[in-house]
Amino acid sequence: MDDFKSDTETLRIAEIRHRMSNAFQLLQAVTRQQLSKSEGQEAQERLGVVLRQIETVAAQQSALSEADTGNLAGFVEKIEPLWQQIGEQAGATVRVHLDAAVPFSPRASETASRILLEAVTNCVEHAFPDGRRGTIDVAVDATDAHHCQFRVADNGVGMAHERQGQGTSIIRSLASELGGVAKWSDGDGDGTVMTVDFPVNMPDEVETMKQTNV
């Protein structure tokens, strides 16, 4: 019965992703059409911004569709160019290391992808204020055949007073759903390092790690 529910949920999510993909394609087509008909420079610039935002969300949804099937590596590979693009706009170079050739359950992969999205977004939004430039290193590694570790490190301004913020709370909650643990520490010199260790399947299938959040 649990397997049936899981399969049904996976199909439902896949259907939602497919509909969203179609909707974004339509939005992009309409926006490009309007852009081609625009004559004023200001209107063209504003429509260009809208089009880039639509393309960004569409790319994110496309990457998440990989995670929904248990293909976390596929998610990382698809989302990497988007992270690099967003990072560049914020003055950050995003570097990704992927070594996680282990099978994930769809739920674990989907939840894990949301952790990565939240972690990288937090770095982009908060690590490099006031024109500061730096790097964000994202590592996804299998620690053994049943466990994985995320490491997201930046050399930004640090977050000594923000470790109880909304972003960290979301990550802690998602890590808990995975039966894993999220930790934050100061980087070597500047910045912050976040690590999340978790089983590649859900806690009802693998032992739940003890949670010692820092």
Side-chain angles (χ1 to χ4, degrees):
M1 180 65 71
D2 290 340
D3 290 341
F4 175 75
K5 288 182 179 179
S6 178
D7 291 342
T8 301
E9 182 178 359
T10 299
L11 288 172
R12 181 179 63 82
I13 293 174
E15 181 181 0
I16 292 172
R17 296 278 189 219
H18 180 69
R19 290 181 179 179
M20 291 179 68
S21 177
N22 289 342
F24 282 124
Q25 288 178 12
L26 178 60
L27 280 172
Q28 289 177 72
V30 171
T31 306
R32 288 193 182 100
Q33 185 180 48
Q34 293 299 316
L35 184 59
S36 67
K37 293 180 179 180
S38 298
E39 296 181 357
Q41 182 177 355
E42 182 179 355
Q44 290 179 344
E45 289 177 352
R46 292 192 177 191
L47 282 170
V49 171
V50 171
L51 179 59
R52 287 192 295 273
Q53 291 174 336
I54 295 172
E55 290 172 342
T56 295
V57 178
Q60 180 174 298
Q61 291 302 315
S62 177
L64 285 170
S65 68
E66 295 290 337
D68 293 339
T69 65
N71 184 13
L72 185 65
F75 162 80
V76 174
E77 290 169 354
K78 276 198 169 186
I79 203 72
E80 181 178 358
L82 180 59
W83 281 341
Q84 292 172 341
Q85 176 186 338
I86 295 174
E88 183 178 351
Q89 294 170 357
T93 299
V94 180
R95 302 180 298 203
V96 178
H97 169 79
L98 174 64
D99 183 16
V102 293
F104 288 80
S105 69
R107 280 191 63 199
S109 177
E110 190 271 338
T111 304
S113 69
R114 288 159 60 196
I115 291 174
L116 284 173
L117 283 175
E118 187 67 30
V120 175
T121 299
N122 285 346
C123 289
V124 170
E125 290 182 350
H126 303 297
F128 308 105
D130 303 321
R132 179 174 178 140
R133 302 189 67 84
T135 59
I136 301 171
D137 289 301
V138 182
V140 180
D141 294 294
T143 54
D144 59 37
H146 303 289
H147 296 85
C148 188
Q149 182 187 80
F150 293 160
R151 185 179 187 275
V152 180
D154 67 71
N155 61 352
V157 297
M159 53 178 296
H161 303 294
E162 300 178 13
R163 294 183 185 179
Q164 302 299 323
Q166 183 178 14
T168 54
S169 295
I170 291 172
I171 291 172
R172 283 193 177 97
S173 177
L174 292 170
S176 179
E177 288 182 27
L178 283 173
V181 55
K183 298 180 181 180
W184 286 263
S185 61
D186 294 332
D188 294 334
D190 296 324
T192 304
V193 178
M194 183 214 73
T195 59
V196 179
D197 293 277
F198 63 96
V200 298
N201 291 289
M202 299 307 290
D204 57 348
E205 299 169 2
V206 192
E207 76 276 13
T208 302
M209 293 181 175
K210 294 182 179 179
Q211 298 189 22
T212 54
N213 292 330
V214 175

